[in-house]
Amino acid sequence: MSGKSGPGGASGRVHRSPHVAAALRERLRDTFWFAPTAGLVCAVALWWVLSDLDTRIVAHLKNEGAYAELGDLLAFAMDARTIVTTVSAAMMTFIGVVFSISLVAVQMASGQLTPRVVRIFVRSRISKLTLTVFLATFAFSLLVLTSYEGGAEPDPRRVTSAPLVQSLLTLGLVGLSLLLFVAYVSSTLRLMQVGPVLDHITRESLRALARQPHGPADRLPPGPGAVHVPHRGRAGVLRDVAVARLVRAARRQGAVLRLVPRAGDFVVPGTPVLTVHGGAAPSSRTVGRALSVGVERSPHQDPAFGLRQLSDIALRALSPSLNDPTTAVQCVDRIVQFLSAAVVLPLTALHHRDRRGDVRLVQEVPGWTDLVDLAFEEIRSCAAASPQVTRRLLAGLDDLLSLAPEERRKPLLRHRSLLVEAVERTVPEAAGRAFALRPDRQGIA
C-alpha cells in the first residue's frame, strides 16, 4: 500500500506502508533458532548433492580408465579424512565452550548496563552466522565420514565413491569457521563496551524514526458512531503492526481504523485495540494476525524504546551501587543525538492510506513532549548531585533549544528550569552550584 502526503501534510513525500513480510522478518530476527536450523538443512542438502557429484566423478574416471589420476584423488581424500575426523570430534566441544564464554560476557553486560542489551546479542547477525556455520560444519563433517569406503588404502578399481569434493568443502568450512570465530569474538567484546552498545541502540532508534511516514491530519468520522474492537489474543506488549493487512481490511469494509494502543503498550484481552469509523469492523482473526504481541518491546515500529533503553542505562549508572556518571554522560550524548533528529519531524499520528489515497488506518505515536519527558524526567531527578551529568544535561538542552522551533521549546525550557531548581536544592555551596550549572558538552572535560 502506498500513499502521499497531501497539501496539509508535514512531509509532502511519498511513503509506502510496511509490508506484511516486515513483521515476519522482525520476528525471525528476534529468534536464535531459525538461522542455525536453516544452516543444518542446507548442510544436509549440500552433502547429498556433493555426494552424488563425487560418485559421478569416480564413475567418469573409471570409464576413462584414468586409474592413476583416481588413485591420486583417493590419496588426497584419505589424507583429508584425518582432518574431517578431527573436526567432527572437536567442533561440538568448541561450540559449547565458545558460546558458554559468550553467555557469560552477555550476562556481565546486562548487569552493568541493562538486561535489554541481551536482545542485541540475539539479533546479532554475526552471532547467528557463526553458530550456523559451526553447526553446519559439524553436521557436514559427520555426513562426509559416512561417504568413505574401504580401508586405509582403497583400491581405485573397486571403489564406487570417494568424498573428493566433500573433503574440499569441509576444509573450506573449517577455514570459514576460524575467520568467523575471530569476528564473533570481536563482536562479543564490543558488546561489553559502553560506547558501541549505545551507538547500536541509537542507530536502531533513528532507523525506526526514519521509517515512520507522516501525512496530513485528515478528519475522521464523528466519535459516537465508532465501534470498539477488543483484543482477543494473549496479554503482552504490542511489538509490530501489519499496517498493509489492516489497510486492506479497512478498504474492504469501507471503514477507517484507529489503533488504540501505541507500539510498546501492554495490552490485555478484552481491552479495545481498534476503533472503527464509518464502516464495518474487520474480523477478529484479521485483527489478531495484524497485531504482533510479545513479551518484550521491539524497536522496529517503536523508536521510543531506544530512549527507554538509554534512560535505563543512565539511571543504572547513576545508582549508588555503580556510581558511574561518565556512562550517564555518554547516554545523554545519544539522547541529544536522537532528539536533535526528532525535533524537525512532525511527530503527528501516522495516517496510512490505500491505493486511492484515502486514509484507512490512524496510528498514534509519541509526540515531542512525550519524547522529551521520557528522555530527561528520570535522569534529571537522579542527576542533581552529579555535576558531571548536570553540566552535560544543560549543554544538551541548550543545543536542542537552538534547534527547536518556537512551538517545541516549552518542554525543553521546563526541564531546564527543573534541573536548575534541583541543583540549587541539592548543592548548598554557591561555588558548587555555579560549577554544576555551567553547561559543558563533556560534563567535566
Side-chain angles (χ1 to χ4, degrees):
M1 300 297 171
S2 61
K4 300 180 180 180
S5 298
S11 63
R13 62 185 176 90
V14 177
H15 70 263
R16 186 172 294 276
S17 298
H19 195 269
V20 175
L24 177 60
R25 184 171 61 249
E26 285 300 308
R27 291 182 189 179
L28 293 178
R29 283 201 65 188
D30 284 332
T31 64
F32 212 76
W33 61 266
F34 178 76
T37 302
L40 289 174
V41 173
C42 291
V44 174
L46 188 60
W47 168 79
W48 184 81
V49 172
L50 294 184
S51 179
D52 181 69
L53 177 61
D54 283 332
T55 302
R56 291 174 181 270
I57 291 175
V58 171
H60 174 74
L61 292 175
K62 292 175 69 175
N63 291 336
E64 296 292 329
Y67 293 107
E69 290 81 357
L70 179 57
D72 293 338
L73 292 177
L74 289 175
F76 166 78
M78 297 310 297
D79 290 340
R81 184 175 187 173
T82 304
I83 300 177
V84 174
T85 304
T86 304
V87 169
S88 62
M91 185 58 74
M92 206 63 199
T93 303
F94 181 64
I95 294 173
V97 172
V98 169
F99 280 86
S100 296
I101 296 174
S102 302
L103 292 177
V104 172
V106 171
Q107 186 177 11
M108 292 176 60
S110 65
Q112 294 175 354
L113 301 176
T114 173
R116 276 154 288 282
V117 301
V118 176
R119 61 177 300 279
I120 298 178
F121 175 81
V122 173
R123 291 171 64 91
S124 170
R125 290 187 174 92
I126 188 65
S127 299
K128 295 176 182 178
L129 179 60
T130 302
L131 180 60
T132 299
V133 173
F134 282 7
L135 291 177
T137 302
F138 172 69
F140 190 81
S141 62
L142 289 180
L143 294 171
V144 171
L145 288 177
T146 65
S147 300
Y148 284 94
E149 293 183 6
E153 296 182 2
D155 184 359
R157 297 179 179 276
R158 302 182 62 180
V159 73
T160 59
S161 177
L164 307 173
V165 182
Q166 299 172 63
S167 300
L168 285 174
L169 182 59
T170 303
L171 297 178
L173 286 175
V174 171
L176 179 60
S177 298
L178 294 176
L179 293 176
L180 284 175
F181 171 68
V182 175
Y184 175 74
V185 170
S186 175
S187 175
T188 303
L189 290 177
R190 285 177 61 83
L191 185 62
M192 301 178 65
Q193 298 175 274
V194 176
V197 171
L198 299 182
D199 179 68
H200 179 90
I201 294 172
T202 306
R203 287 187 288 107
E204 201 171 43
S205 302
L206 290 174
R207 285 195 296 267
L209 192 65
R211 280 194 296 263
Q212 289 188 165
H214 302 279
D218 291 35
R219 204 171 183 83
L220 296 180
V227 176
H228 295 280
V229 178
H231 177 53
R232 300 295 186 187
R234 62 171 180 169
V237 176
L238 180 61
R239 293 166 52 87
D240 290 294
V241 180
V243 172
R245 181 171 284 137
L246 287 178
V247 168
R248 287 198 298 266
R251 186 184 70 241
R252 287 194 299 266
Q253 303 292 343
V256 178
L257 307 178
R258 179 186 290 274
L259 191 65
V260 176
R262 297 189 307 204
D265 286 356
F266 192 87
V267 295
V268 296
T271 57
V273 290
L274 287 174
T275 57
V276 185
H277 302 264
S283 66
S284 57
R285 180 181 179 183
T286 300
V287 174
R289 293 177 62 189
L291 304 181
S292 174
V293 176
V295 297
E296 191 175 11
R297 293 171 70 175
S298 168
H300 181 232
Q301 295 181 3
D302 184 11
F305 182 45
L307 282 182
R308 177 70 273 166
Q309 294 178 83
L310 293 173
S311 179
D312 286 347
I313 296 172
L315 293 174
R316 180 166 295 204
L318 291 172
S319 65
S321 60
L322 290 182
N323 192 22
D324 184 12
T326 303
T327 294
V329 166
Q330 289 180 275
C331 292
V332 175
D333 293 339
R334 298 301 182 170
I335 287 172
V336 173
Q337 177 188 356
F338 178 86
L339 291 179
S340 65
V343 72
V344 297
L345 298 179
L347 298 177
T348 55
L350 307 181
H351 290 71
H352 302 283
R353 304 167 181 275
D354 59 18
R355 291 191 179 92
R356 295 183 301 181
D358 297 330
V359 174
R360 293 299 180 185
L361 175 66
V362 179
Q363 185 179 4
E364 298 293 337
V365 297
W368 171 249
T369 301
D370 299 324
L371 295 177
V372 172
D373 290 342
L374 174 59
F376 294 119
E377 184 68 34
E378 295 172 299
I379 298 177
R380 191 200 70 239
S381 62
C382 296
S386 176
Q388 183 180 357
V389 183
T390 59
R391 288 159 64 97
R392 181 63 186 99
L393 281 172
L394 288 170
L397 287 167
D398 290 344
D399 288 340
L400 291 172
L401 284 168
S402 67
L403 296 173
E406 186 62 34
E407 65 273 11
R408 292 195 170 178
R409 294 169 60 88
K410 184 176 178 180
L412 297 172
L413 292 171
R414 178 171 63 85
H415 281 284
R416 196 184 196 286
S417 175
L418 291 173
L419 177 60
V420 171
E421 293 177 5
V423 172
E424 290 176 344
R425 288 194 307 268
T426 305
V427 183
E429 302 86 1
R433 288 197 301 271
F435 182 81
L437 294 177
R438 187 182 307 152
D440 188 336
R441 289 190 180 88
Q442 294 188 37
I444 299 177

